[in-house]
Amino acid sequence: MSTEMSTDANVKVVGDIEFPPRKVWIKTYGCQMNYHDTERIVSHLEGLNFSLTEEKDDADLMIFNTCAIRDLANQKFYSHLGNTKHQKKQREVKVAAAGCIAQTESKELLKKYPQLDFAFGTDVIDNVGELVYRAYAGDKKFAVTSWDRSDNYSIETKISHGSPQAFVNIIKGCDKFCSYCIVPFTRGREKSRTITEIVNDTARLVAHQGVQEVTLLGQNVNSFGKKNGESLAELIMELEKIEGLELIRYTTSHPYDISDELIEVHGKSKKLANHLHLPVQSGSNTVLQRMLRQYSIEHYLERLDRLREANPNIVISTDIIAGFPNETEQEHRDTLKLLDKARYDFIYSYNFSSRPGTKAARMKDILTKDVRGRRLREIQAHQLEIQAEVRQEMVGKTYRVLVEGKGFMKGQTKWKGRTSCYRIVHFEGETHESDYQWHWVDLKVTSATALSCQGEIVKDYGRRQGPH
Ligand code: SF4
């Protein structure tokens, strides 16, 4: 689409339509991938003269970026979408559904919710400009879920915030088909970008947008490049060469695909964070088999040992599903035992929730909500005990952190920074007026509990000094 200036300097002409300044409001549900997609949507819509608003009553365009994985997010979306009926009656506003639910159920959504103008899936996020153009050109009630079926995956990272932290998508989709997961159906098969493209993209973010920390993003980043003969390990070592890039993180990982080469990089990279989120999901081999996770607990623990050997400062976190269909008490106890062995720094734990269309949703299940709830509470309580011990080891040590902003802690507003190992440490400034936003500082940890960590400032390096 061509863009021209109108006689009114505030109006953009795109194709044959005039776009005056408009506001877009986006509600994002679910995971980091979705938040990153939202950033991309905002950035693409700037080309059509849209700016982001936090106030939905000011919006000319409302977009719901949906999640099909988390049940609560799912329910909230339907309820929020239902409410837009009143907004539509009061003023001129377009409403769109995006993301995972729109990828699989766009036609049903358009049928059921007359207030929806259009729906688009995860596969066409980068074509949102064209879709919004269509909507303003008068096209009604349309759904687009695929644009390009080729294996090539090429994008440019778009960020609209001024923070030095950025997400960079490196792979999309997933080929694993875990029995409880809807992602392969909503995000499609794995497609990776090339190392050259990602390195150029990141170098541009560092040079022109002040980015210092990147999180490489994908459903299974450990599979990155497999289809092109490239690997995550190689990518990290290439990114490491970018001057001004200080810290590299990646998420999410699949334990089956953590290669020896990648473990070695955890030992030798100067910029790779001292943290790895490695979702285990269950401590029981029989449950892992029913989940179709493709690894055993022995393999998983062997990978942890190797990672800790390669980098003794590495901190590990995980995801756990409590009460997978027909999980026995013994299988549940195996998960509690795993917590003792793995000594995670933190866990994200959830009750199993059935996703229509998955294998797990078709399993006959004898577990009740109460049993699931009790098991989740036991896992969380046990982890908190371990976590308190693990975090105690921080006391007296000094950590380099990137200060992310202010947070409320123990009735006081304090600065908060994140360590390379992904822990948040709160601290007070030297004076009331001190401004540490996006500074790198050394903090000595003075106290730590399972859920919070306090420190005092040792040295302020200002904005550009990295963690190493
Ligand atoms: S590896 Fe992750 S994204 Fe892929 S199917 Fe399994 S849980 Fe879903």
Side-chain angles (χ1 to χ4, degrees):
M1 284 181 292
S2 65
T3 307
E4 291 167 21
M5 295 302 292
S6 154
T7 41
D8 179 343
N10 292 322
V11 174
K12 272 188 183 170
V13 180
V14 181
D16 51 4
I17 302 181
E18 289 197 340
F19 282 86
R22 289 190 175 104
K23 303 259 190 227
V24 56
W25 173 90
I26 308 185
K27 175 75 188 163
T28 310
Y29 306 85
C31 66
Q32 278 174 329
M33 273 305 260
N34 269 19
Y35 281 88
H36 180 64
D37 284 348
T38 291
E39 256 185 87
R40 301 184 66 74
I41 292 172
V42 173
S43 185
H44 284 298
L45 291 185
E46 280 166 3
L48 294 182
N49 226 355
F50 279 87
S51 58
L52 187 66
T53 177
E54 305 280 314
E55 300 296 329
K56 60 173 175 279
D57 292 339
D58 286 350
D60 301 286
L61 170 63
M62 297 172 75
I63 299 179
F64 294 91
N65 192 6
T66 62
C67 167
I69 298 176
R70 301 186 182 160
D71 204 28
L72 189 63
N74 207 321
Q75 288 163 19
K76 278 191 192 157
F77 158 61
Y78 289 115
S79 143
H80 294 159
L81 180 59
N83 293 338
T84 57
K85 212 153 86 184
H86 310 293
Q87 262 123 357
K88 275 287 244 209
K89 276 189 194 149
Q90 286 161 3
R91 64 204 167 83
E92 179 62 33
V93 57
K94 294 199 189 297
V95 180
C100 298
I101 296 180
Q103 181 73 31
T104 50
E105 298 171 29
S106 52
K107 293 212 172 93
E108 294 80 353
L109 285 173
L110 287 169
K111 218 162 156 190
K112 195 163 164 203
Y113 296 93
Q115 64 269 43
L116 257 188
D117 292 281
F118 60 104
F120 59 103
T122 50
D123 236 19
V124 294
I125 290 286
D126 290 301
N127 306 94
V128 64
E130 281 133 283
L131 304 177
V132 171
Y133 177 91
R134 256 175 87 176
Y136 280 92
D139 213 350
K140 290 193 177 68
K141 308 290 287 174
F142 60 91
V144 184
T145 52
S146 77
W147 207 270
D148 172 11
R149 292 233 160 258
S150 76
D151 266 349
N152 299 330
Y153 171 43
S154 174
I155 54 167
E156 186 179 76
T157 301
K158 305 273 189 186
I159 55 171
S160 49
H161 57 67
S163 116
Q165 297 169 317
F167 290 112
V168 172
N169 240 312
I170 63 167
I171 178 171
K172 65 177 180 177
C174 184
D175 290 354
K176 284 282 182 290
F177 289 92
C178 301
S179 63
Y180 53 86
C181 182
I182 194 78
V183 163
F185 305 100
T186 59
R187 298 251 172 193
R189 294 302 94 74
E190 285 167 3
K191 289 179 187 179
S192 299
R193 299 171 71 193
T194 62
I195 289 182
T196 308
E197 182 184 287
I198 298 165
V199 170
N200 290 339
D201 196 21
T202 308
R204 178 186 54 82
L205 293 174
V206 171
H208 301 297
Q209 294 197 258
V211 166
Q212 297 176 54
E213 173 183 325
V214 287
T215 302
L216 309 175
L217 208 57
Q219 252 76 38
N220 176 13
V221 285
N222 305 123
S223 277
F224 167 80
K226 271 189 180 167
K227 295 176 185 171
N228 325 324
E230 297 188 326
S231 71
L232 180 61
E234 274 175 75
L235 172 63
I236 291 166
M237 292 317 291
E238 285 303 314
L239 289 172
E240 174 127 347
K241 296 176 190 161
I242 299 174
E243 208 175 312
L245 178 64
E246 306 289 357
L247 196 56
I248 303 166
R249 303 183 186 277
Y250 65 85
T251 194
T252 292
S253 287
H254 190 290
Y256 179 83
D257 293 321
I258 291 270
S259 65
D260 291 346
E261 189 196 9
L262 184 57
I263 291 175
E264 204 182 301
V265 167
H266 273 278
K268 69 181 181 195
S269 167
K270 300 251 178 319
K271 296 188 177 177
L272 189 55
N274 291 333
H275 170 239
L276 177 63
H277 187 72
L278 194 57
V280 68
Q281 308 300 3
S282 168
S284 153
N285 277 334
T286 38
V287 173
L288 289 176
Q289 279 162 15
R290 299 205 293 283
M291 288 178 166
L292 304 179
R293 288 290 286 174
Q294 303 181 8
Y295 54 84
S296 66
I297 282 303
E298 292 72 26
H299 171 81
Y300 181 90
L301 289 171
E302 185 267 341
R303 295 285 91 180
L304 287 200
D305 286 347
R306 296 279 304 276
L307 281 159
R308 284 170 167 150
E309 246 168 57
N311 177 1
N313 294 321
I314 200 166
V315 152
I316 311 283
S317 55
T318 202
D319 293 338
I320 290 183
I321 298 173
F324 191 73
N326 305 316
E327 182 190 65
T328 64
E329 277 303 315
Q330 181 56 50
E331 288 169 336
H332 166 60
R333 280 197 296 276
D334 287 343
T335 296
L336 296 174
K337 274 191 225 151
L338 172 74
L339 297 182
D340 291 324
K341 289 182 190 151
R343 292 188 69 78
Y344 296 111
D345 192 66
F346 61 89
I347 65 168
Y348 296 114
S349 50
Y350 320 86
N351 267 329
F352 170 77
S353 131
S354 162
R355 298 266 66 91
T358 60
K359 280 203 171 128
R362 295 193 293 277
M363 291 175 185
K364 282 209 173 99
D365 182 21
I366 54 163
L367 291 192
T368 62
K369 206 172 155 194
D370 284 351
V371 169
R372 280 206 172 90
R374 192 250 304 154
R375 289 184 186 170
L376 180 62
R377 287 192 298 279
E378 284 175 5
I379 288 168
Q380 291 174 337
H382 193 50
Q383 170 59 23
L384 280 181
E385 287 168 17
I386 294 166
Q387 207 161 300
E389 289 168 15
V390 171
R391 298 286 176 102
Q392 250 327 292
E393 292 162 14
M394 295 175 72
V395 178
K397 293 187 183 148
T398 298
Y399 292 82
R400 182 81 45 92
V401 309
L402 177 60
V403 182
E404 293 184 344
K406 284 185 170 174
F408 202 60
M409 179 49 57
K410 295 190 174 165
Q412 273 182 294
T413 303
K414 290 188 173 181
W415 289 100
K416 58 173 188 170
R418 195 179 289 279
T419 63
S420 165
C421 52
Y422 211 65
R423 290 154 168 163
I424 291 278
V425 186
H426 287 88
F427 67 102
E428 283 177 44
E430 280 175 337
T431 69
H432 197 60
E433 289 77 36
S434 309
D435 182 0
Y436 298 99
Q437 181 82 44
W438 302 127
H439 284 209
W440 292 93
V441 299
D442 280 346
L443 295 179
K444 184 172 176 189
V445 174
T446 51
S447 68
T449 65
L451 297 174
S452 81
C453 203
Q454 310 291 316
E456 59 191 23
I457 193 155
V458 175
K459 189 161 180 179
D460 178 5
Y461 295 91
R463 287 186 169 225
R464 287 251 35 128
Q465 171 84 35
H468 298 284

